[in-house]
Amino acid sequence: VPSKTYDTGAYHEPGAIGILFKIVHGFLYLVQPNSFPQGKQINHFFFKIHRIVLHVWSFCENVVLTLQAIYYEIGFIVSAALGLLFILLLPLVGLCFCMCRCCDNCGGEMHQRQKKNADCQRSCFATFLFVASLIIRQVVGVLCAYAANQHLTNQVRGAKKLVNSNFKDLKIFLNDTPAQIDYLVSQYNTTKDKALSDLNICFLTIVFLKKIHFLVAIRETKEALENVSVSVEVLQEGTERLHANLTDVKMHLSNTLNDSACNAAQAASTCNIIRNSLNQLNINANFSGLPGVSSQLSKVNDVLKIDLSSLVQKVSFNDTPDLVVNQTRNILSDIKAVLESIGSNITTFTKTLPVQKILADLMIYLTQSEAYVQDYFPLVEQYDFYRWLGCLILCCMLVLILVFYYLGLLCGTCGYDKHASPTTRGCISNTGGNFLMAGVGFSFLFSWVLMIVVVLTFVTGGNVEKLVCEPFEDKNLFKILDTPYLLNQQWKNYLAGILFKNPNVNLTFEKVYSDCKENKGIYTSLHLEYLFNINEFLNISMYTEDVALKIEHIQINLSKIILLDEIGKENLLNFSSSGIDGIDFSAYLAEINKSVTKVDLLSFANDLEARADQLPKGALENALKGHANNIRMIHNQQVVPLEQAMSTLNQSIRLLKRTSSELMVKVKNVISAVNAAQFLINNNASQVIVQETKKYMDTIVGYFEQYAEWVKESIAMEVAACKPIANVIDTAVDIFLCSYITDSVNTFWFGLGGSSMFLIPAIIFAVKLSKYYRRMDTEDVYDDVKNIPMKNTENGNNGYHKEHLYGIHNPVFT
């Protein structure tokens, strides 16, 4: 069945960002490792929901159902609770931290105690802060969130092409279906024409022709005898001429070798070798003694003077067809009427189907839907831009914090002077410490806002992934839709109830989707046989019953027909006694298997020329080479034609040998077969005609049974193949919802949430590190001799006394 190619490839390859998607999927599996409910679990779960909806429930059932839901969602509940705790505690901790620092506590006092491991602590804090900032920025942080945000925007912008491709495939599906149905109907005419042409063949003539195929063997025998006669004459004349030429060549070679030049020491041995090989130049096969076949050929020609084939043809082809056709004319007309009625019923069936109306309504709805999508797609792109901008602002919040941390690290590291005291630190170092504290302040301001977004997108996107995308991939989602009495309390199968008003039909969403995924016909996928059954209209047997009854009562009289008279039988017997079996086939085959000459003349000529090259240059060498060329000429002009004649003789002799074997038995079998056929015609002609008519009727019915099976198979597998419907579902759920939106949203909260979590250690390290970069108001002062604390130098503040001694000398006093 002709079909067009669909453009939509319902498969999405995310590219490099797919690695992030797999990491997020792995994290979600850790959060929610519970498998999706299946089978009885689904039925039990939704049965309880129905009872609650109908207010037919007890408190215990409600508690059990709630506990089951909590157990299934425990990972998301715990994670969301931690997120809410983060949202509540971090701003509160930040507020308390700020108030504490305002009271010169929690590191708020501008005094740094001197320690022996101060450089080590500063390096560790700087390293930890850099690592935390690096993780926030690259590993699970800003880059991950930004990549997911940009990926979603890019896919939304490119979604229009995929949407248009789906609409185009659906239009092809709707427009191509009527053409496919018309093609199926049109192929009936091809089947009908083949059946009608076979009806015009005379079956009885074929039966008779099977009985007289022996006539062909007689003609082949005559041709073989003629070939043998001609070939033997050619071979006898050719061998005589070849013998004369070879004798002449030997004589001239002998004269040449008797030349005085052969007596020389250099040529004597070569000449002797050539002289000894002259006996090989003789013929090997002798056809002069073979017996002739002229007497056998004469007898066969006498048999063929009476043309048996035209005698049989005169009877069978001229009389029998007219008798049979005239007496079976009504049967043939009935069969033709049946063929026409089948065609008209098929055409009527296709017209009664509401296909055109359904397809027209669907096309209108499809056109309206496409126009609606085209109108609102710019609005979708506009809202997506707002979403992209909002997500970008969230990323910029993190980037702002990172900028302060990196500037603090850069300025603090570059401006730090280990020889300067805490009160004499440079401006660059002090600026670095201020940047770090600014980063801490913005972390407290933005982190709870970021976490609110993370919790909302995590709960939404994670559950969509676990409750929609993964079940859709392994088809468990369809099992929920196929749960008995779920979508309708009175229907076991909801889809069958909608389509056929019969919910007991085993038609499920999963089966329809799977069949369409395999590009099966919509007739099979939706079990449309419950609406209109094509088997009832393609049942050939209901049309042939009346014709079969009429065939049973056929009466035909063919007693006037004579297949083969006594003259024909006598000639067949004369053929069997023509003497072909008396030919001496062994004598012929013995000579045919011999070579024409004792030695291959070409090899002999090449050897002669090679030995002539061994002789001294002169007349002897040239004469021998001339003899070699003469031998080659004899081979080409005489030996080659003789070999061809021997091949023809070989084929003819073998054919005659096969024909002569049990020739009398074969002729008697032919005469017996003709007598049996004659008896059959005289006594059981009607029965033969009925049997042959039934055979041809079965053959013709077989054509239409094949046609009916082909139509059923085509409608089931090829006509209205519903791959575009599966593509629409895959595009909407698997690509748009899961691959485009859910994967991007999940990756976004994964990056944003990871960054927010790493802000906590970053805050701690930044506060600790800022003490080593900022300029202090006071510092510890030590006596150089007694190593006891003294009053600190004052820089606009009261003095400070330190109770514990660390032994770090003030460089001012050294």
Side-chain angles (χ1 to χ4, degrees):
V1 178
S3 61
K4 295 183 180 179
T5 304
Y6 298 123
D7 297 335
T8 303
Y11 176 76
H12 173 64
E13 182 61 42
I17 200 174
I19 300 175
L20 295 178
F21 292 165
K22 292 181 180 179
I23 294 174
V24 175
H25 291 164
F27 178 77
L28 285 174
Y29 178 77
L30 293 177
V31 173
Q32 168 56 295
N34 297 323
S35 59
F36 194 78
Q38 297 182 5
K40 295 182 179 179
Q41 296 177 351
I42 296 178
N43 295 338
H44 186 63
F45 181 77
F46 284 104
F47 175 74
K48 290 182 178 180
I49 291 181
H50 276 301
R51 289 175 60 85
I52 293 174
V53 172
L54 297 174
H55 302 287
V56 186
W57 55 279
S58 64
F59 177 78
C60 293
E61 287 182 338
N62 190 20
V63 171
V64 171
L65 184 61
T66 303
L67 291 177
Q68 288 179 343
I70 291 175
Y71 174 77
Y72 184 77
E73 292 283 332
I74 188 65
F76 287 103
I77 294 173
V78 172
S79 301
L82 293 176
L84 292 175
L85 194 63
F86 184 96
I87 295 170
L88 296 175
L89 291 183
L90 200 63
L92 184 60
V93 170
L95 179 61
C96 296
F97 179 73
C98 292
M99 294 176 64
C100 184
R101 287 182 67 89
C102 290
C103 297
D104 288 338
N105 294 318
C106 303
E109 57 180 342
M110 298 301 289
H111 174 82
Q112 185 177 18
R113 294 172 178 83
Q114 302 291 340
K115 297 180 182 179
K116 289 182 179 181
N117 59 349
D119 288 340
C120 180
Q121 287 184 346
R122 177 182 55 81
S123 300
C124 290
F125 290 147
T127 302
F128 291 152
L129 179 60
F130 178 77
V131 171
S133 301
L134 188 66
I135 293 175
I136 294 173
R137 181 174 67 88
Q138 287 184 333
V139 180
V140 295
V142 179
L143 292 181
C144 181
Y146 177 79
N149 184 37
Q150 191 63 40
H151 177 265
L152 179 55
T153 298
N154 293 338
Q155 299 306 324
V156 170
R157 291 175 181 174
K160 188 173 183 179
K161 181 179 179 181
L162 185 58
V163 171
N164 292 335
S165 176
N166 275 276
F167 277 116
K168 179 181 177 183
D169 288 349
L170 288 174
K171 288 182 178 179
I172 292 175
F173 168 73
L174 296 178
N175 291 328
D176 199 34
T177 300
Q180 291 178 328
I181 295 175
D182 293 340
Y183 176 80
L184 294 180
V185 175
S186 65
Q187 291 304 303
Y188 175 80
N189 293 328
T190 303
T191 307
K192 183 183 71 174
D193 294 341
K194 172 64 176 174
L196 291 176
S197 65
D198 286 356
L199 282 176
N200 294 326
I201 298 176
C202 180
F203 355 99
L204 193 59
T205 301
I206 296 178
V207 177
F208 293 153
L209 288 179
K210 291 180 181 178
K211 307 301 180 182
I212 58 173
H213 65 278
F214 198 78
L215 297 177
V216 179
I218 299 176
R219 292 192 178 90
E220 291 179 351
T221 302
K222 174 191 174 183
E223 293 175 357
L225 290 171
E226 291 176 346
N227 290 335
V228 169
S229 179
V230 173
S231 298
V232 168
E233 292 179 1
V234 171
L235 289 172
Q236 289 175 349
E237 294 177 359
T239 51
E240 291 177 359
R241 187 167 58 255
L242 177 61
H243 178 70
N245 290 333
L246 290 177
T247 302
D248 187 55
V249 168
K250 285 194 297 182
M251 182 183 67
H252 287 89
L253 268 173
S254 179
N255 294 334
T256 301
L257 294 174
N258 291 330
D259 190 85
S260 58
C262 279
N263 296 326
Q266 298 178 350
S269 62
T270 302
C271 290
N272 289 333
I273 293 173
I274 297 172
R275 190 178 294 109
N276 294 332
S277 65
L278 292 180
N279 293 329
Q280 298 177 357
L281 292 177
N282 284 316
I283 60 175
N284 191 31
N286 184 13
F287 298 97
S288 59
L290 294 177
V293 294
S294 57
S295 62
Q296 290 87 346
L297 181 60
S298 176
K299 292 181 179 180
V300 172
N301 286 330
D302 291 339
V303 171
L304 290 176
K305 286 180 180 179
I306 299 177
D307 193 352
L308 294 176
S309 62
S310 46
L311 179 62
V312 175
Q313 184 178 8
K314 177 181 178 182
V315 175
S316 63
F317 283 85
N318 294 334
D319 298 335
T320 307
D322 293 336
L323 292 173
V324 175
V325 170
N326 291 333
Q327 298 181 47
T328 60
R329 191 181 305 276
N330 294 331
I331 302 298
L332 297 179
S333 62
D334 290 342
I335 295 176
K336 293 179 180 179
V338 168
L339 301 182
E340 296 293 341
S341 65
I342 295 175
S344 61
N345 286 338
I346 293 176
T347 304
T348 304
F349 168 68
T350 57
K351 291 181 179 180
T352 57
L353 294 178
V355 175
Q356 295 293 343
K357 184 179 183 304
I358 295 174
L359 294 178
D361 294 340
L362 290 176
M363 182 62 73
I364 294 174
Y365 176 77
L366 183 64
T367 304
Q368 293 174 350
S369 301
E370 184 178 14
Y372 178 83
V373 171
Q374 297 294 341
D375 292 339
Y376 281 90
F377 197 82
L379 187 62
V380 173
E381 291 180 330
Q382 183 179 358
Y383 283 129
D384 179 70
F385 172 74
Y386 296 149
R387 179 209 54 80
W388 175 83
L389 191 60
C391 294
L392 186 63
I393 292 174
L394 295 176
C395 293
C396 289
M397 291 181 182
L398 284 173
V399 171
L400 180 63
I401 297 172
L402 291 175
V403 167
F404 282 122
Y405 284 157
Y406 280 128
L407 288 177
L409 288 171
L410 179 63
C411 295
T413 303
C414 295
Y416 181 78
D417 185 3
K418 65 180 180 178
H419 298 293
S421 65
T423 58
T424 60
R425 287 174 180 154
C427 178
I428 297 178
S429 177
N430 185 60
T431 303
N434 292 333
F435 275 134
L436 292 177
M437 292 308 299
V440 171
F442 281 111
S443 297
F444 282 119
L445 287 175
F446 296 152
S447 58
W448 65 277
V449 178
L450 297 175
M451 187 53 68
I452 289 176
V453 176
V454 169
V455 171
L456 293 177
T457 53
F458 164 73
V459 173
T460 304
N463 278 287
V464 170
E465 174 66 28
K466 301 298 291 186
L467 297 177
V468 177
C469 296
E470 289 185 2
F472 178 81
E473 185 176 357
D474 55 21
K475 299 181 181 178
N476 283 327
L477 186 63
F478 295 104
K479 294 180 181 179
I480 293 180
L481 298 177
D482 294 329
T483 302
Y485 312 107
L486 172 63
L487 301 178
N488 190 306
Q489 303 169 23
Q490 306 298 326
W491 290 353
K492 180 180 179 180
N493 295 304
Y494 180 78
L495 189 58
I498 289 292
L499 291 178
F500 312 129
K501 307 302 180 184
N502 183 6
N504 295 321
V505 176
N506 187 21
L507 180 65
T508 62
F509 288 98
E510 180 185 5
K511 186 65 168 61
V512 173
Y513 173 78
S514 300
D515 288 345
C516 289
K517 193 76 173 176
E518 297 174 3
N519 202 27
K520 293 183 179 179
I522 200 168
Y523 184 87
T524 299
S525 302
L526 294 181
H527 291 196
L528 296 182
E529 64 269 14
Y530 289 98
L531 287 180
F532 40 87
N533 193 349
I534 61 174
N535 293 327
E536 297 178 358
F537 294 90
L538 295 176
N539 187 5
I540 305 299
S541 60
M542 60 183 295
Y543 302 106
T544 57
E545 292 179 356
D546 293 338
V547 179
L549 292 176
K550 293 181 179 180
I551 290 176
E552 291 288 345
H553 297 87
I554 291 179
Q555 295 293 331
I556 297 177
N557 184 11
L558 300 178
S559 59
K560 296 181 180 180
I561 296 177
I562 299 176
L563 294 180
L564 189 63
D565 58 8
E566 294 300 325
I567 298 176
K569 295 177 183 179
E570 183 180 353
N571 276 274
L572 288 177
L573 294 174
N574 291 336
F575 172 71
S576 63
S577 60
S578 59
I580 297 175
D581 52 348
I583 298 175
D584 190 0
F585 296 107
S586 58
Y588 278 93
L589 293 176
E591 295 300 325
I592 291 171
N593 292 329
K594 295 180 181 179
S595 59
V596 178
T597 57
K598 290 183 178 182
V599 67
D600 184 11
L601 296 184
L602 289 178
S603 299
F604 187 88
N606 293 332
D607 184 64
L608 179 62
E609 189 172 11
R611 296 190 182 281
D613 291 334
Q614 299 176 2
L615 299 174
K617 301 292 182 181
L620 180 60
E621 177 191 7
N622 295 331
L624 291 176
K625 289 185 177 181
H627 291 310
N629 291 331
N630 189 22
I631 293 173
R632 290 192 185 94
M633 186 180 301
I634 291 173
H635 174 81
N636 294 331
Q637 294 180 355
Q638 298 183 33
V639 175
V640 171
L642 288 176
E643 290 175 346
Q644 295 175 352
M646 290 174 67
S647 176
T648 302
L649 178 61
N650 185 28
Q651 295 176 3
S652 300
I653 286 296
R654 294 185 183 278
L655 176 61
L656 290 174
K657 187 177 181 180
R658 290 195 304 268
T659 304
S660 64
S661 61
E662 300 178 356
L663 183 60
M664 181 62 70
V665 176
K666 292 179 180 179
V667 171
K668 289 182 178 179
N669 289 337
V670 171
I671 295 175
S672 299
V674 172
N675 291 334
Q678 186 67 58
F679 178 81
L680 189 66
I681 291 173
N682 295 337
N683 298 278
N684 298 316
S686 298
Q687 183 180 356
V688 172
I689 296 297
V690 169
Q691 291 176 353
E692 294 299 321
T693 304
K694 285 183 178 180
K695 290 181 181 180
Y696 274 88
M697 188 63 189
D698 292 340
T699 302
I700 293 170
V701 171
Y703 294 155
F704 292 97
E705 288 177 347
Q706 293 178 9
Y707 170 77
E709 291 300 322
W710 173 74
V711 170
K712 294 176 186 177
E713 182 69 18
S714 299
I715 291 178
M717 304 302 297
E718 300 181 54
V719 175
C722 58
K723 179 72 171 178
I725 298 176
N727 286 342
V728 170
I729 297 174
D730 289 339
T731 301
V733 180
D734 187 40
I735 296 180
F736 282 170
L737 178 60
C738 297
S739 298
Y740 287 1
I741 299 175
T742 304
D743 283 344
S744 298
V745 170
N746 288 338
T747 306
F748 180 79
W749 64 250
F750 182 76
L752 210 61
S755 301
S756 301
M757 295 302 296
F758 277 98
L759 285 177
I760 296 176
I763 290 173
I764 297 172
F765 297 139
V767 171
K768 291 287 187 180
L769 185 61
S770 65
K771 275 283 189 179
Y772 294 93
Y773 291 155
R774 299 179 70 187
R775 186 185 296 120
M776 300 291 102
D777 293 337
T778 61
E779 64 181 359
D780 290 341
V781 179
Y782 303 95
D783 187 278
D784 189 28
V785 179
K786 295 182 179 180
N787 199 23
I788 58 176
M790 301 174 61
K791 184 178 181 180
N792 289 55
T793 58
E794 298 181 0
N795 293 324
N797 294 322
N798 295 329
Y800 180 84
H801 293 82
K802 181 67 177 174
E803 296 294 333
H804 302 284
L805 305 178
Y806 290 93
I808 300 178
H809 299 288
N810 193 327
V812 176
F813 295 98
T814 57

